[in-house]
Amino acid sequence: MEFTHFDKQGNAVMVEVGDKEETRREAEAAGKIFMSQECLKKVMDGDIQKGDVLGVARIAGIMGAKRTSELIPLCHNLNLTGVEVLFEAEEASGSINAVCRARTTGKTGVEMEALTGVQVALLTIYDMCKAIDKSMVISDVHLCRKSGGKSGEFVYTKKQEKLYEG
């Protein structure tokens, strides 16, 4: 496999996408944060001192996706046409699942934007809840699917090992 972010001398470069065709691009990334049952209950009841945890995390995730090119070296600055961040609590495991979906019509994909968005959303949950539970664990962050572009469709199919036994 050829690495496209290096020139012939091994120097890092931003990939040239000027000659690529614009296509509709979509990507979805997911991850989760494990926390104590007490903390999860407070989040779901809206009883966290810093405010609406999931509302703030949703906005943070969208902002993170929009600023990906400022955070990840060599990422192209994209004109995103849509970003959404969704959450689902799992009481049994004491976790919150997060999903970030990003869309654009352009010459390069939005995988990094979706991955950055979900990470920033999960980090925001951690930040807002750390006074209650400093042992939270962010895990299982991965690209779920992507479409568009020369490489076409991708759907994640691997089974993830449970990384947290808290």
Side-chain angles (χ1 to χ4, degrees):
M1 174 173 212
E2 181 182 321
F3 290 105
T4 57
H5 284 84
F6 298 97
D7 65 15
K8 289 181 171 111
Q9 291 76 37
N11 299 309
V13 296
M14 180 182 269
V15 174
E16 173 60 51
V17 296
D19 293 334
K20 291 174 76 175
E21 194 175 313
E22 284 197 356
T23 61
R24 178 126 173 100
R25 315 283 187 131
E26 295 186 20
E28 177 179 295
K32 58 176 45 183
I33 185 166
F34 292 90
M35 60 186 64
S36 68
Q37 291 292 335
E38 171 197 9
C39 187
L40 181 60
K41 181 171 179 7
K42 286 182 178 288
V43 170
M44 300 318 295
D45 291 345
D47 195 23
I48 299 289
Q49 193 173 23
K50 287 188 172 185
D52 176 9
V53 173
L54 300 184
V56 173
R58 179 172 289 110
I59 297 298
I62 293 168
M63 290 174 64
K66 289 170 60 175
R67 299 193 69 172
T68 299
S69 66
E70 296 174 34
L71 300 169
I72 308 294
L74 310 179
C75 270
H76 292 86
N77 186 15
L78 299 181
N79 181 22
L80 295 175
T81 59
V83 178
E84 61 185 325
V85 177
L86 309 166
F87 300 104
E88 181 181 10
E90 284 185 9
E91 287 186 52
S93 65
S95 66
I96 297 173
N97 295 315
V99 173
C100 180
R101 296 182 185 129
R103 290 174 296 287
T104 192
T105 299
K107 298 179 179 217
T108 190
V110 290
E111 297 93 332
M112 294 309 300
E113 287 72 13
L115 286 160
T116 301
V118 78
Q119 289 277 30
V120 171
L122 292 167
L123 287 167
T124 300
I125 293 170
Y126 187 98
D127 180 54
M128 293 185 74
C129 297
K130 67 184 183 247
I132 296 163
D133 183 1
K134 289 178 181 49
S135 67
M136 291 176 283
V137 173
I138 294 172
S139 74
D140 299 331
V141 175
H142 64 284
L143 181 66
C144 301
R145 64 176 183 80
K146 77 103 184 153
S147 63
K150 190 169 75 172
S151 66
E153 303 285 322
F154 166 81
V155 177
Y156 183 85
T157 58
K158 294 179 184 174
K159 296 285 183 196
Q160 290 289 311
E161 291 180 34
K162 187 173 181 183
L163 301 175
Y164 181 75
E165 298 293 333

